[in-house]
Amino acid sequence: SIVAGGGAGGQIILNASSLTVAPSNKIQDGQGTVFNLQGGAGKCEKEDNAVGGAGGGGFLGIAYKGSALEDPASFDVSGLKVKIEGGYLSECAGIDLGAEGKKAEGQLGEAARVGPCFPGTMGAFCTPCPVGTWSDGHGSCKLCKTKTLKNSEYYEMGVSTSNCPWRCLPDFPDASINPLCLTAREYMMR
């Protein structure tokens, strides 16, 4: 007997110059943005002890173009949820699948960037580099080369140059008038 398997998760290629995604905490409320590319479920036929394999997960590719390459703020996918899991087996009660059962589950799909990231970002979805790091858009984020002073800190995400912006710590005179980030007392005494 032949048992139909689950279908593959499909493919989505998104070409966009701007995109704003609902925050991920809204997904539980059914309001978030979800791309569902899960593989279909496999089936089992108890009478004939037959198994149809589950479908593999799909592919999501995002290509950034136009203003997204120039303005990272125009492309915020931090709240995006992507489902690329392979399908599973269903309706297999009473059938001993043994070691072969795992082979019938669908393989994991993939989500990736298509094309280059813009400077200050990295990864599959061109996520902004964390504070204290930078990127030229090729590869991972690197540590900033600007030396911070004793009473200073980096403060900006998504930096595109190794000279990351810094500022004096709160409660210290501003770096524009206090480039050594002296304490208020030290600043007044100089």
Side-chain angles (χ1 to χ4, degrees), residues 101-158:
K102 197 71 176 159
K103 291 181 184 174
E105 293 180 1
Q107 297 294 308
L108 182 65
E110 183 178 359
R113 157 183 49 82
V114 179
C117 281
F118 39 82
T121 64
M122 58 96 187
F125 291 117
C126 296
T127 310
C129 290
V131 171
T133 65
W134 71 281
S135 168
D136 58 6
H138 302 286
S140 61
C141 297
K142 302 162 210 56
L143 291 176
C144 295
K145 292 186 178 177
T146 313
K147 293 222 180 224
T148 55
L149 303 167
K150 180 175 87 175
N151 299 318
S152 67
E153 65 184 357
Y154 296 117
Y155 65 92
E156 194 172 303
M157 291 177 57

mmCIF file of all heavy atoms in Angstrom, residues 101-158:
data_model
loop_
_atom_site.group_PDB
_atom_site.id
_atom_site.type_symbol
_atom_site.label_atom_id
_atom_site.label_comp_id
_atom_site.label_asym_id
_atom_site.label_seq_id
_atom_site.Cartn_x
_atom_site.Cartn_y
_atom_site.Cartn_z
ATOM 1 N N GLY A 101 11.637 5.127 12.227
ATOM 2 C CA GLY A 101 10.669 6.208 12.409
ATOM 3 C C GLY A 101 11.299 7.580 12.333
ATOM 4 O O GLY A 101 10.722 8.510 11.787
ATOM 5 N N LYS A 102 12.508 7.741 12.858
ATOM 6 C CA LYS A 102 13.178 9.035 12.835
ATOM 7 C C LYS A 102 13.473 9.467 11.397
ATOM 8 O O LYS A 102 13.433 10.642 11.066
ATOM 9 C CB LYS A 102 14.478 8.935 13.646
ATOM 10 C CG LYS A 102 15.041 10.258 14.037
ATOM 11 C CD LYS A 102 14.183 10.903 15.106
ATOM 12 C CE LYS A 102 14.823 12.199 15.565
ATOM 13 N NZ LYS A 102 13.877 13.086 16.183
ATOM 14 N N LYS A 103 13.745 8.506 10.514
ATOM 15 C CA LYS A 103 14.041 8.834 9.118
ATOM 16 C C LYS A 103 12.827 9.406 8.396
ATOM 17 O O LYS A 103 12.965 10.064 7.383
ATOM 18 C CB LYS A 103 14.520 7.589 8.378
ATOM 19 C CG LYS A 103 15.876 7.099 8.823
ATOM 20 C CD LYS A 103 16.290 5.882 8.020
ATOM 21 C CE LYS A 103 17.612 5.330 8.517
ATOM 22 N NZ LYS A 103 17.962 4.083 7.847
ATOM 23 N N ALA A 104 11.647 9.140 8.894
ATOM 24 C CA ALA A 104 10.430 9.605 8.234
ATOM 25 C C ALA A 104 10.086 11.043 8.583
ATOM 26 O O ALA A 104 9.201 11.631 7.984
ATOM 27 C CB ALA A 104 9.263 8.684 8.593
ATOM 28 N N GLU A 105 10.787 11.635 9.572
ATOM 29 C CA GLU A 105 10.540 13.030 9.910
ATOM 30 C C GLU A 105 11.220 13.942 8.897
ATOM 31 O O GLU A 105 12.270 13.614 8.349
ATOM 32 C CB GLU A 105 11.056 13.326 11.315
ATOM 33 C CG GLU A 105 10.268 12.608 12.393
ATOM 34 C CD GLU A 105 10.776 12.885 13.790
ATOM 35 O OE1 GLU A 105 11.745 13.661 13.947
ATOM 36 O OE2 GLU A 105 10.203 12.319 14.727
ATOM 37 N N GLY A 106 10.622 15.095 8.643
ATOM 38 C CA GLY A 106 11.180 16.029 7.669
ATOM 39 C C GLY A 106 12.418 16.750 8.189
ATOM 40 O O GLY A 106 12.566 16.990 9.384
ATOM 41 N N GLN A 107 13.302 17.117 7.278
ATOM 42 C CA GLN A 107 14.532 17.828 7.628
ATOM 43 C C GLN A 107 14.250 19.316 7.871
ATOM 44 O O GLN A 107 13.298 19.878 7.339
ATOM 45 C CB GLN A 107 15.570 17.695 6.496
ATOM 46 C CG GLN A 107 16.013 16.274 6.252
ATOM 47 C CD GLN A 107 16.783 15.731 7.437
ATOM 48 O OE1 GLN A 107 17.721 16.347 7.906
ATOM 49 N NE2 GLN A 107 16.374 14.574 7.924
ATOM 50 N N LEU A 108 15.121 19.940 8.657
ATOM 51 C CA LEU A 108 15.022 21.361 8.968
ATOM 52 C C LEU A 108 15.260 22.195 7.710
ATOM 53 O O LEU A 108 16.151 21.894 6.911
ATOM 54 C CB LEU A 108 16.074 21.713 10.037
ATOM 55 C CG LEU A 108 16.119 23.145 10.540
ATOM 56 C CD1 LEU A 108 14.826 23.476 11.283
ATOM 57 C CD2 LEU A 108 17.311 23.336 11.459
ATOM 58 N N GLY A 109 14.484 23.248 7.532
ATOM 59 C CA GLY A 109 14.673 24.168 6.414
ATOM 60 C C GLY A 109 15.735 25.208 6.717
ATOM 61 O O GLY A 109 16.557 25.033 7.620
ATOM 62 N N GLU A 110 15.695 26.344 5.994
ATOM 63 C CA GLU A 110 16.724 27.368 6.168
ATOM 64 C C GLU A 110 16.136 28.753 5.975
ATOM 65 O O GLU A 110 15.260 28.961 5.148
ATOM 66 C CB GLU A 110 17.845 27.144 5.143
ATOM 67 C CG GLU A 110 18.994 28.094 5.275
ATOM 68 C CD GLU A 110 20.119 27.817 4.278
ATOM 69 O OE1 GLU A 110 20.022 26.875 3.491
ATOM 70 O OE2 GLU A 110 21.087 28.571 4.304
ATOM 71 N N ALA A 111 16.651 29.711 6.745
ATOM 72 C CA ALA A 111 16.321 31.123 6.570
ATOM 73 C C ALA A 111 17.643 31.852 6.419
ATOM 74 O O ALA A 111 18.556 31.644 7.214
ATOM 75 C CB ALA A 111 15.556 31.660 7.769
ATOM 76 N N ALA A 112 17.782 32.663 5.383
ATOM 77 C CA ALA A 112 19.067 33.302 5.129
ATOM 78 C C ALA A 112 18.885 34.632 4.413
ATOM 79 O O ALA A 112 17.865 34.895 3.789
ATOM 80 C CB ALA A 112 19.947 32.389 4.283
ATOM 81 N N ARG A 113 19.899 35.440 4.504
ATOM 82 C CA ARG A 113 19.974 36.690 3.766
ATOM 83 C C ARG A 113 20.355 36.359 2.329
ATOM 84 O O ARG A 113 21.147 35.474 2.063
ATOM 85 C CB ARG A 113 21.037 37.566 4.437
ATOM 86 C CG ARG A 113 21.650 38.625 3.590
ATOM 87 C CD ARG A 113 22.740 39.380 4.340
ATOM 88 N NE ARG A 113 23.730 38.580 5.025
ATOM 89 C CZ ARG A 113 24.790 38.036 4.435
ATOM 90 N NH1 ARG A 113 24.980 38.176 3.156
ATOM 91 N NH2 ARG A 113 25.665 37.358 5.133
ATOM 92 N N VAL A 114 19.766 37.063 1.415
ATOM 93 C CA VAL A 114 20.114 36.914 0.007
ATOM 94 C C VAL A 114 20.747 38.237 -0.403
ATOM 95 O O VAL A 114 20.083 39.259 -0.443
ATOM 96 C CB VAL A 114 18.866 36.634 -0.853
ATOM 97 C CG1 VAL A 114 19.233 36.499 -2.311
ATOM 98 C CG2 VAL A 114 18.152 35.389 -0.357
ATOM 99 N N GLY A 115 22.031 38.228 -0.642
ATOM 100 C CA GLY A 115 22.729 39.466 -0.965
ATOM 101 C C GLY A 115 23.429 40.021 0.263
ATOM 102 O O GLY A 115 23.370 39.442 1.342
ATOM 103 N N PRO A 116 24.089 41.157 0.118
ATOM 104 C CA PRO A 116 24.902 41.694 1.218
ATOM 105 C C PRO A 116 24.070 42.386 2.300
ATOM 106 O O PRO A 116 22.976 42.862 2.052
ATOM 107 C CB PRO A 116 25.790 42.724 0.512
ATOM 108 C CG PRO A 116 24.940 43.202 -0.625
ATOM 109 C CD PRO A 116 24.162 41.987 -1.082
ATOM 110 N N CYS A 117 24.631 42.400 3.501
ATOM 111 C CA CYS A 117 24.048 43.200 4.590
ATOM 112 C C CYS A 117 24.554 44.627 4.445
ATOM 113 O O CYS A 117 25.578 44.875 3.823
ATOM 114 C CB CYS A 117 24.517 42.681 5.951
ATOM 115 S SG CYS A 117 23.668 41.210 6.525
ATOM 116 N N PHE A 118 23.847 45.555 5.044
ATOM 117 C CA PHE A 118 24.321 46.928 5.061
ATOM 118 C C PHE A 118 25.300 47.083 6.217
ATOM 119 O O PHE A 118 25.277 46.304 7.182
ATOM 120 C CB PHE A 118 23.164 47.927 5.150
ATOM 121 C CG PHE A 118 22.050 47.510 6.043
ATOM 122 C CD1 PHE A 118 22.119 47.706 7.410
ATOM 123 C CD2 PHE A 118 20.920 46.904 5.517
ATOM 124 C CE1 PHE A 118 21.100 47.320 8.236
ATOM 125 C CE2 PHE A 118 19.886 46.513 6.346
ATOM 126 C CZ PHE A 118 19.978 46.718 7.705
ATOM 127 N N PRO A 119 26.204 48.044 6.156
ATOM 128 C CA PRO A 119 27.178 48.249 7.235
ATOM 129 C C PRO A 119 26.500 48.431 8.592
ATOM 130 O O PRO A 119 25.432 49.028 8.679
ATOM 131 C CB PRO A 119 27.915 49.522 6.813
ATOM 132 C CG PRO A 119 27.794 49.540 5.319
ATOM 133 C CD PRO A 119 26.416 48.983 5.053
ATOM 134 N N GLY A 120 27.139 47.880 9.624
ATOM 135 C CA GLY A 120 26.612 47.967 10.979
ATOM 136 C C GLY A 120 25.721 46.790 11.354
ATOM 137 O O GLY A 120 25.174 46.753 12.451
ATOM 138 N N THR A 121 25.569 45.832 10.433
ATOM 139 C CA THR A 121 24.707 44.677 10.684
ATOM 140 C C THR A 121 25.434 43.386 10.324
ATOM 141 O O THR A 121 26.473 43.401 9.668
ATOM 142 C CB THR A 121 23.411 44.761 9.863
ATOM 143 O OG1 THR A 121 23.746 44.703 8.474
ATOM 144 C CG2 THR A 121 22.653 46.032 10.160
ATOM 145 N N MET A 122 24.836 42.261 10.735
ATOM 146 C CA MET A 122 25.429 40.968 10.430
ATOM 147 C C MET A 122 24.377 39.870 10.547
ATOM 148 O O MET A 122 23.297 40.092 11.063
ATOM 149 C CB MET A 122 26.598 40.680 11.380
ATOM 150 C CG MET A 122 26.246 40.683 12.841
ATOM 151 S SD MET A 122 25.919 39.039 13.408
ATOM 152 C CE MET A 122 25.326 39.342 15.054
ATOM 153 N N GLY A 123 24.715 38.691 10.073
ATOM 154 C CA GLY A 123 23.868 37.518 10.246
ATOM 155 C C GLY A 123 22.852 37.319 9.142
ATOM 156 O O GLY A 123 22.757 38.096 8.195
ATOM 157 N N ALA A 124 22.073 36.245 9.287
ATOM 158 C CA ALA A 124 21.104 35.861 8.268
ATOM 159 C C ALA A 124 20.083 36.955 7.986
ATOM 160 O O ALA A 124 19.653 37.132 6.864
ATOM 161 C CB ALA A 124 20.389 34.575 8.698
ATOM 162 N N PHE A 125 19.689 37.693 9.011
ATOM 163 C CA PHE A 125 18.702 38.744 8.818
ATOM 164 C C PHE A 125 19.298 40.129 8.994
ATOM 165 O O PHE A 125 18.588 41.096 9.255
ATOM 166 C CB PHE A 125 17.517 38.542 9.761
ATOM 167 C CG PHE A 125 16.708 37.331 9.404
ATOM 168 C CD1 PHE A 125 16.604 36.278 10.282
ATOM 169 C CD2 PHE A 125 16.078 37.247 8.184
ATOM 170 C CE1 PHE A 125 15.869 35.155 9.947
ATOM 171 C CE2 PHE A 125 15.346 36.129 7.835
ATOM 172 C CZ PHE A 125 15.245 35.084 8.727
ATOM 173 N N CYS A 126 20.626 40.239 8.847
ATOM 174 C CA CYS A 126 21.296 41.533 8.932
ATOM 175 C C CYS A 126 20.892 42.292 10.207
ATOM 176 O O CYS A 126 20.446 43.437 10.172
ATOM 177 C CB CYS A 126 21.032 42.372 7.685
ATOM 178 S SG CYS A 126 21.716 41.640 6.180
ATOM 179 N N THR A 127 21.051 41.630 11.332
ATOM 180 C CA THR A 127 20.723 42.197 12.641
ATOM 181 C C THR A 127 21.759 43.247 13.029
ATOM 182 O O THR A 127 22.949 43.047 12.801
ATOM 183 C CB THR A 127 20.729 41.072 13.702
ATOM 184 O OG1 THR A 127 19.946 39.998 13.215
ATOM 185 C CG2 THR A 127 20.164 41.550 15.015
ATOM 186 N N PRO A 128 21.345 44.370 13.628
ATOM 187 C CA PRO A 128 22.320 45.385 14.045
ATOM 188 C C PRO A 128 23.360 44.811 15.007
ATOM 189 O O PRO A 128 23.034 44.000 15.875
ATOM 190 C CB PRO A 128 21.468 46.447 14.741
ATOM 191 C CG PRO A 128 20.106 46.282 14.162
ATOM 192 C CD PRO A 128 19.968 44.805 13.893
ATOM 193 N N CYS A 129 24.606 45.230 14.833
ATOM 194 C CA CYS A 129 25.684 44.804 15.740
ATOM 195 C C CYS A 129 25.397 45.334 17.142
ATOM 196 O O CYS A 129 24.903 46.444 17.297
ATOM 197 C CB CYS A 129 27.027 45.359 15.261
ATOM 198 S SG CYS A 129 27.623 44.604 13.747
ATOM 199 N N PRO A 130 25.722 44.551 18.174
ATOM 200 C CA PRO A 130 25.506 45.008 19.550
ATOM 201 C C PRO A 130 26.401 46.201 19.897
ATOM 202 O O PRO A 130 27.409 46.455 19.238
ATOM 203 C CB PRO A 130 25.887 43.804 20.408
ATOM 204 C CG PRO A 130 26.043 42.653 19.496
ATOM 205 C CD PRO A 130 26.242 43.195 18.117
ATOM 206 N N VAL A 131 26.048 46.895 20.962
ATOM 207 C CA VAL A 131 26.846 48.016 21.465
ATOM 208 C C VAL A 131 28.273 47.530 21.720
ATOM 209 O O VAL A 131 28.481 46.446 22.262
ATOM 210 C CB VAL A 131 26.224 48.569 22.764
ATOM 211 C CG1 VAL A 131 27.136 49.585 23.420
ATOM 212 C CG2 VAL A 131 24.864 49.175 22.481
ATOM 213 N N GLY A 132 29.269 48.320 21.306
ATOM 214 C CA GLY A 132 30.675 47.965 21.502
ATOM 215 C C GLY A 132 31.278 47.175 20.353
ATOM 216 O O GLY A 132 32.438 46.783 20.408
ATOM 217 N N THR A 133 30.487 46.947 19.293
ATOM 218 C CA THR A 133 30.979 46.242 18.106
ATOM 219 C C THR A 133 30.564 46.999 16.850
ATOM 220 O O THR A 133 29.711 47.877 16.892
ATOM 221 C CB THR A 133 30.437 44.795 18.042
ATOM 222 O OG1 THR A 133 29.013 44.840 17.874
ATOM 223 C CG2 THR A 133 30.799 44.004 19.290
ATOM 224 N N TRP A 134 31.163 46.623 15.716
ATOM 225 C CA TRP A 134 30.882 47.280 14.441
ATOM 226 C C TRP A 134 30.997 46.259 13.318
ATOM 227 O O TRP A 134 31.533 45.165 13.496
ATOM 228 C CB TRP A 134 31.857 48.432 14.195
ATOM 229 C CG TRP A 134 33.257 47.961 13.897
ATOM 230 C CD1 TRP A 134 34.183 47.540 14.805
ATOM 231 C CD2 TRP A 134 33.853 47.814 12.615
ATOM 232 N NE1 TRP A 134 35.331 47.154 14.174
ATOM 233 C CE2 TRP A 134 35.149 47.306 12.812
ATOM 234 C CE3 TRP A 134 33.427 48.051 11.317
ATOM 235 C CZ2 TRP A 134 36.023 47.047 11.751
ATOM 236 C CZ3 TRP A 134 34.291 47.800 10.269
ATOM 237 C CH2 TRP A 134 35.576 47.309 10.496
ATOM 238 N N SER A 135 30.493 46.615 12.135
ATOM 239 C CA SER A 135 30.600 45.738 10.966
ATOM 240 C C SER A 135 30.559 46.581 9.698
ATOM 241 O O SER A 135 29.851 47.580 9.637
ATOM 242 C CB SER A 135 29.443 44.730 10.950
ATOM 243 O OG SER A 135 29.380 44.068 9.707
ATOM 244 N N ASP A 136 31.299 46.135 8.691
ATOM 245 C CA ASP A 136 31.232 46.791 7.381
ATOM 246 C C ASP A 136 30.176 46.129 6.495
ATOM 247 O O ASP A 136 30.045 46.444 5.325
ATOM 248 C CB ASP A 136 32.606 46.775 6.701
ATOM 249 C CG ASP A 136 33.151 45.375 6.505
ATOM 250 O OD1 ASP A 136 32.436 44.387 6.783
ATOM 251 O OD2 ASP A 136 34.319 45.255 6.071
ATOM 252 N N GLY A 137 29.418 45.171 7.064
ATOM 253 C CA GLY A 137 28.381 44.474 6.311
ATOM 254 C C GLY A 137 28.836 43.136 5.766
ATOM 255 O O GLY A 137 28.035 42.380 5.235
ATOM 256 N N HIS A 138 30.105 42.828 5.888
ATOM 257 C CA HIS A 138 30.646 41.561 5.402
ATOM 258 C C HIS A 138 31.151 40.767 6.597
ATOM 259 O O HIS A 138 32.108 41.161 7.246
ATOM 260 C CB HIS A 138 31.795 41.797 4.425
ATOM 261 C CG HIS A 138 31.394 42.629 3.248
ATOM 262 N ND1 HIS A 138 30.620 42.156 2.229
ATOM 263 C CD2 HIS A 138 31.630 43.927 2.962
ATOM 264 C CE1 HIS A 138 30.418 43.110 1.350
ATOM 265 N NE2 HIS A 138 31.011 44.210 1.769
ATOM 266 N N GLY A 139 30.505 39.671 6.923
ATOM 267 C CA GLY A 139 30.952 38.840 8.038
ATOM 268 C C GLY A 139 30.330 39.247 9.353
ATOM 269 O O GLY A 139 29.290 39.897 9.407
ATOM 270 N N SER A 140 31.009 38.893 10.433
ATOM 271 C CA SER A 140 30.460 39.117 11.773
ATOM 272 C C SER A 140 30.854 40.486 12.319
ATOM 273 O O SER A 140 31.672 41.196 11.745
ATOM 274 C CB SER A 140 30.960 38.020 12.712
ATOM 275 O OG SER A 140 32.367 38.067 12.793
ATOM 276 N N CYS A 141 30.262 40.829 13.453
ATOM 277 C CA CYS A 141 30.589 42.088 14.128
ATOM 278 C C CYS A 141 31.933 41.947 14.843
ATOM 279 O O CYS A 141 32.235 40.892 15.401
ATOM 280 C CB CYS A 141 29.499 42.442 15.125
ATOM 281 S SG CYS A 141 27.891 42.720 14.346
ATOM 282 N N LYS A 142 32.722 43.019 14.807
ATOM 283 C CA LYS A 142 34.048 43.025 15.424
ATOM 284 C C LYS A 142 34.059 44.032 16.570
ATOM 285 O O LYS A 142 33.277 44.975 16.560
ATOM 286 C CB LYS A 142 35.101 43.411 14.385
ATOM 287 C CG LYS A 142 35.131 42.487 13.165
ATOM 288 C CD LYS A 142 35.867 43.185 12.024
ATOM 289 C CE LYS A 142 35.420 42.796 10.662
ATOM 290 N NZ LYS A 142 34.042 42.943 10.301
ATOM 291 N N LEU A 143 34.979 43.838 17.522
ATOM 292 C CA LEU A 143 35.092 44.775 18.646
ATOM 293 C C LEU A 143 35.536 46.146 18.145
ATOM 294 O O LEU A 143 36.365 46.247 17.238
ATOM 295 C CB LEU A 143 36.090 44.260 19.676
ATOM 296 C CG LEU A 143 35.659 43.015 20.458
ATOM 297 C CD1 LEU A 143 36.788 42.545 21.376
ATOM 298 C CD2 LEU A 143 34.399 43.290 21.255
ATOM 299 N N CYS A 144 34.993 47.186 18.739
ATOM 300 C CA CYS A 144 35.357 48.553 18.380
ATOM 301 C C CYS A 144 36.833 48.798 18.689
ATOM 302 O O CYS A 144 37.366 48.277 19.660
ATOM 303 C CB CYS A 144 34.503 49.545 19.162
ATOM 304 S SG CYS A 144 32.751 49.459 18.752
ATOM 305 N N LYS A 145 37.475 49.605 17.844
ATOM 306 C CA LYS A 145 38.894 49.926 18.048
ATOM 307 C C LYS A 145 39.091 51.191 18.856
ATOM 308 O O LYS A 145 40.169 51.440 19.372
ATOM 309 C CB LYS A 145 39.596 50.045 16.697
ATOM 310 C CG LYS A 145 39.686 48.712 15.985
ATOM 311 C CD LYS A 145 40.499 48.801 14.719
ATOM 312 C CE LYS A 145 40.592 47.423 14.097
ATOM 313 N NZ LYS A 145 41.291 47.434 12.838
ATOM 314 N N THR A 146 38.053 52.008 18.970
ATOM 315 C CA THR A 146 38.144 53.223 19.770
ATOM 316 C C THR A 146 38.378 52.817 21.220
ATOM 317 O O THR A 146 37.648 51.992 21.752
ATOM 318 C CB THR A 146 36.822 54.009 19.708
ATOM 319 O OG1 THR A 146 36.405 54.107 18.364
ATOM 320 C CG2 THR A 146 36.970 55.378 20.314
ATOM 321 N N LYS A 147 39.397 53.380 21.842
ATOM 322 C CA LYS A 147 39.647 53.073 23.255
ATOM 323 C C LYS A 147 38.729 53.936 24.094
ATOM 324 O O LYS A 147 38.705 55.160 23.947
ATOM 325 C CB LYS A 147 41.101 53.339 23.606
ATOM 326 C CG LYS A 147 42.043 52.392 22.909
ATOM 327 C CD LYS A 147 43.099 51.950 23.863
ATOM 328 C CE LYS A 147 44.020 51.012 23.117
ATOM 329 N NZ LYS A 147 44.368 49.871 23.854
ATOM 330 N N THR A 148 37.979 53.289 24.971
ATOM 331 C CA THR A 148 37.148 54.070 25.880
ATOM 332 C C THR A 148 37.996 54.461 27.090
ATOM 333 O O THR A 148 38.928 53.761 27.465
ATOM 334 C CB THR A 148 35.918 53.279 26.345
ATOM 335 O OG1 THR A 148 36.345 52.048 26.913
ATOM 336 C CG2 THR A 148 34.968 53.016 25.203
ATOM 337 N N LEU A 149 37.644 55.576 27.671
ATOM 338 C CA LEU A 149 38.333 56.065 28.859
ATOM 339 C C LEU A 149 37.746 55.408 30.106
ATOM 340 O O LEU A 149 36.715 54.739 30.047
ATOM 341 C CB LEU A 149 38.191 57.583 28.933
ATOM 342 C CG LEU A 149 38.707 58.337 27.690
ATOM 343 C CD1 LEU A 149 38.248 59.771 27.719
ATOM 344 C CD2 LEU A 149 40.215 58.235 27.623
ATOM 345 N N LYS A 150 38.392 55.637 31.222
ATOM 346 C CA LYS A 150 37.971 55.029 32.479
ATOM 347 C C LYS A 150 36.495 55.296 32.791
ATOM 348 O O LYS A 150 35.785 54.412 33.221
ATOM 349 C CB LYS A 150 38.868 55.528 33.615
ATOM 350 C CG LYS A 150 38.513 54.966 34.975
ATOM 351 C CD LYS A 150 39.495 55.392 36.038
ATOM 352 C CE LYS A 150 39.063 56.725 36.596
ATOM 353 N NZ LYS A 150 39.872 57.183 37.718
ATOM 354 N N ASN A 151 36.026 56.486 32.543
ATOM 355 C CA ASN A 151 34.660 56.863 32.906
ATOM 356 C C ASN A 151 33.768 57.054 31.672
ATOM 357 O O ASN A 151 32.953 57.966 31.629
ATOM 358 C CB ASN A 151 34.675 58.141 33.743
ATOM 359 C CG ASN A 151 35.439 57.968 35.034
ATOM 360 O OD1 ASN A 151 35.309 56.943 35.691
ATOM 361 N ND2 ASN A 151 36.246 58.952 35.396
ATOM 362 N N SER A 152 33.952 56.189 30.675
ATOM 363 C CA SER A 152 33.169 56.328 29.444
ATOM 364 C C SER A 152 32.605 54.964 29.034
ATOM 365 O O SER A 152 32.973 53.931 29.583
ATOM 366 C CB SER A 152 34.028 56.916 28.323
ATOM 367 O OG SER A 152 35.036 56.004 27.957
ATOM 368 N N GLU A 153 31.717 55.007 28.024
ATOM 369 C CA GLU A 153 31.081 53.783 27.537
ATOM 370 C C GLU A 153 30.685 53.952 26.071
ATOM 371 O O GLU A 153 30.452 55.050 25.596
ATOM 372 C CB GLU A 153 29.848 53.464 28.371
ATOM 373 C CG GLU A 153 28.745 54.515 28.222
ATOM 374 C CD GLU A 153 27.538 54.279 29.117
ATOM 375 O OE1 GLU A 153 27.497 53.265 29.825
ATOM 376 O OE2 GLU A 153 26.637 55.136 29.093
ATOM 377 N N TYR A 154 30.605 52.814 25.356
ATOM 378 C CA TYR A 154 29.999 52.823 24.031
ATOM 379 C C TYR A 154 28.484 52.873 24.239
ATOM 380 O O TYR A 154 27.969 52.401 25.251
ATOM 381 C CB TYR A 154 30.353 51.550 23.268
ATOM 382 C CG TYR A 154 31.833 51.393 22.973
ATOM 383 C CD1 TYR A 154 32.551 50.326 23.514
ATOM 384 C CD2 TYR A 154 32.486 52.282 22.148
ATOM 385 C CE1 TYR A 154 33.897 50.161 23.240
ATOM 386 C CE2 TYR A 154 33.850 52.132 21.875
ATOM 387 C CZ TYR A 154 34.535 51.067 22.416
ATOM 388 O OH TYR A 154 35.861 50.918 22.146
ATOM 389 N N TYR A 155 27.753 53.424 23.274
ATOM 390 C CA TYR A 155 26.312 53.553 23.493
ATOM 391 C C TYR A 155 25.451 53.270 22.265
ATOM 392 O O TYR A 155 24.227 53.265 22.362
ATOM 393 C CB TYR A 155 25.972 54.946 24.022
ATOM 394 C CG TYR A 155 26.251 56.067 23.039
ATOM 395 C CD1 TYR A 155 25.265 56.507 22.171
ATOM 396 C CD2 TYR A 155 27.503 56.668 22.992
ATOM 397 C CE1 TYR A 155 25.520 57.520 21.281
ATOM 398 C CE2 TYR A 155 27.763 57.684 22.102
ATOM 399 C CZ TYR A 155 26.766 58.115 21.251
ATOM 400 O OH TYR A 155 27.029 59.113 20.362
ATOM 401 N N GLU A 156 26.042 52.988 21.111
ATOM 402 C CA GLU A 156 25.242 52.890 19.895
ATOM 403 C C GLU A 156 25.324 51.499 19.278
ATOM 404 O O GLU A 156 26.409 50.928 19.150
ATOM 405 C CB GLU A 156 25.730 53.937 18.896
ATOM 406 C CG GLU A 156 24.790 54.162 17.756
ATOM 407 C CD GLU A 156 25.235 55.347 16.906
ATOM 408 O OE1 GLU A 156 25.379 56.454 17.454
ATOM 409 O OE2 GLU A 156 25.444 55.140 15.703
ATOM 410 N N MET A 157 24.171 50.953 18.861
ATOM 411 C CA MET A 157 24.119 49.691 18.123
ATOM 412 C C MET A 157 24.230 49.986 16.634
ATOM 413 O O MET A 157 23.969 51.098 16.192
ATOM 414 C CB MET A 157 22.773 48.980 18.362
ATOM 415 C CG MET A 157 22.582 48.446 19.745
ATOM 416 S SD MET A 157 20.940 47.703 19.975
ATOM 417 C CE MET A 157 20.900 46.472 18.692
ATOM 418 N N GLY A 158 24.592 48.974 15.845
ATOM 419 C CA GLY A 158 24.583 49.112 14.392
ATOM 420 C C GLY A 158 25.636 50.051 13.841
ATOM 421 O O GLY A 158 25.403 50.732 12.847
#
